[in-house]
Amino acid sequence: MVSSDDVRRVGLALPRTHERMVRGRWKLRVGQIVYVAFSRDELSMGFGYPRAERDGLVDSDPETFFLPPTADLRYQWVCAHLARLEQDEMRELVTDAWRMCVPKMLHELPEQPAPAAAVWAAIERQEWGEVRPLLHPSLHWTDRTVSLRGRSAVLAHLQGHPTPRPPREVEVRDGQVYRWVR
């Protein structure tokens, strides 16, 4: 059984996501785009889903999934009863809805080992105090033509350059990013 807090944990771990209360309902957003919205009682959620495929999803399990109100059918949106979702299914639905709102370069971040998305998000926000403990002291960093070794060298480089693109490969040691390859 999934709760709204489970959905929040998944959504808020995704880069660029923030939560906002709008007209008495909590919503997960990327910029101004809402990709998950809870009902007022937080027992169901609406989420971004391709319009062409939503009838198939609803027909596959009408006890779990349902269409939004008629006025919202113009949007790419489907709704679900949280109590009927499994954790893995919810994670996939939320992540796919998030992917509809972010640039394609970010789509693979949730598939990388856990600290990769947090590192990239903190770098993008330029919150260097959050980045430091997520990076291994002996970090190997490769970003196209730049190859650096050591956490301090990488942080100094990043502070003077634009945000890098997300990694293609990440290796984690002791819960910290040890190798980052773009």
Side-chain angles (χ1 to χ4, degrees):
M1 183 167 126
V2 171
S3 71
S4 59
D5 289 336
D6 296 328
V7 175
R8 281 185 178 92
R9 267 190 291 282
V10 170
L12 292 172
L14 297 169
R16 299 185 179 180
T17 295
H18 63 278
E19 186 176 32
R20 176 109 355 118
M21 170 83 71
V22 178
R23 290 186 221 117
R25 296 175 53 204
W26 286 103
K27 299 181 180 203
L28 297 179
R29 302 164 70 152
V30 171
Q32 296 299 313
I33 302 171
V34 175
Y35 70 92
V36 169
F38 296 106
S39 60
R40 284 187 185 355
D41 61 9
E42 296 193 3
L43 296 177
S44 64
M45 72 171 182
F47 55 95
Y49 199 81
R51 189 179 300 124
E53 299 171 23
R54 68 181 174 195
D55 289 334
L57 179 65
V58 172
D59 290 343
S60 73
D61 187 357
E63 297 294 318
T64 302
F65 301 105
F66 57 98
L67 293 173
T70 306
D72 292 335
L73 286 175
R74 66 183 183 266
Y75 301 115
Q76 297 189 73
W77 205 251
V78 173
C79 301
H81 298 288
L82 292 177
R84 298 202 35 95
L85 291 173
E86 297 293 326
Q87 290 288 333
D88 290 341
E89 183 179 32
M90 175 273 297
R91 181 178 311 283
E92 184 178 333
L93 293 169
V94 170
T95 303
D96 287 346
W98 169 81
R99 284 184 175 120
M100 293 173 69
C101 304
V102 297
K104 196 169 188 170
M105 72 175 185
L106 300 181
H107 286 197
E108 298 307 314
L109 267 176
E111 310 308 322
Q112 296 287 353
V119 167
W120 192 88
I123 289 170
E124 186 180 47
R125 293 188 312 266
Q126 297 186 1
E127 294 177 354
W128 307 113
E130 285 184 31
V131 176
R132 187 177 220 30
L134 298 172
L135 301 178
H136 194 278
S138 302
L139 173 66
H140 296 260
W141 180 279
T142 305
D143 188 2
R144 296 183 218 166
T145 60
V146 177
S147 186
L148 300 168
R149 181 150 186 192
R151 174 173 54 200
S152 296
V154 170
L155 285 170
H157 170 75
L158 290 173
Q159 290 175 19
H161 290 80
T163 303
R165 293 176 83 68
R168 287 193 190 130
E169 296 176 39
V170 172
E171 182 181 339
V172 176
R173 291 190 184 171
D174 302 323
Q176 296 173 308
V177 174
Y178 176 76
R179 190 169 62 86
W180 178 289
V181 178
R182 171 68 194 142

